[in-house]
Amino acid sequence: MLDLIKYIVATFAEKKDEVEYKVEEKDDAIEVTVLLAASDMGKVIGKQGKIAKAMRTLVKSATPRDSKRYMIEIKEKGEV
């Protein structure tokens, strides 16, 4: 599933080499934090968050029913 997230983010981000991914596994979910450069924030999130919402929907629908759910957070580098 992380490959799907990386593919979607790489499609929209201009500074692909600066993107970082932090994965934390919790009891019932896997939390993926995407750290982006400030200039890529708007491109990856999209107008009114449409791209981010679509990415979350795709990941949710691609996740098998019996596995943990994925939570995606998009943050600017240095904000963490």
Side-chain angles (χ1 to χ4, degrees), residues 4-14 16 19 21 36 44:
L4 177 62
I5 296 169
K6 287 181 179 181
Y7 175 77
I8 295 169
V9 170
T11 302
F12 295 103
E14 287 184 4
K16 295 168 182 51
V19 179
Y21 301 90
L36 300 167
V44 174

Side-chain angles (χ1 to χ4, degrees), residues 12-68:
F12 295 103
E14 287 184 4
K15 299 179 181 178
K16 295 168 182 51
D17 54 333
E18 293 184 19
V19 179
E20 294 178 23
Y21 301 90
K22 291 187 180 181
V23 180
E24 289 184 42
E25 195 164 335
K26 298 187 179 183
D27 293 333
D28 60 341
I30 298 172
E31 187 173 308
V32 180
T33 305
V34 181
L35 299 170
L36 300 167
S39 61
D40 284 338
M41 287 293 291
K43 294 174 183 92
V44 174
I45 294 174
K47 287 187 179 181
Q48 298 178 352
K50 288 184 179 182
I51 295 173
K53 184 177 179 182
M55 180 170 46
R56 290 182 179 113
T57 302
L58 279 171
V59 169
K60 184 178 178 181
S61 64
T63 304
R65 188 170 289 202
D66 299 338
S67 67
K68 295 181 179 184

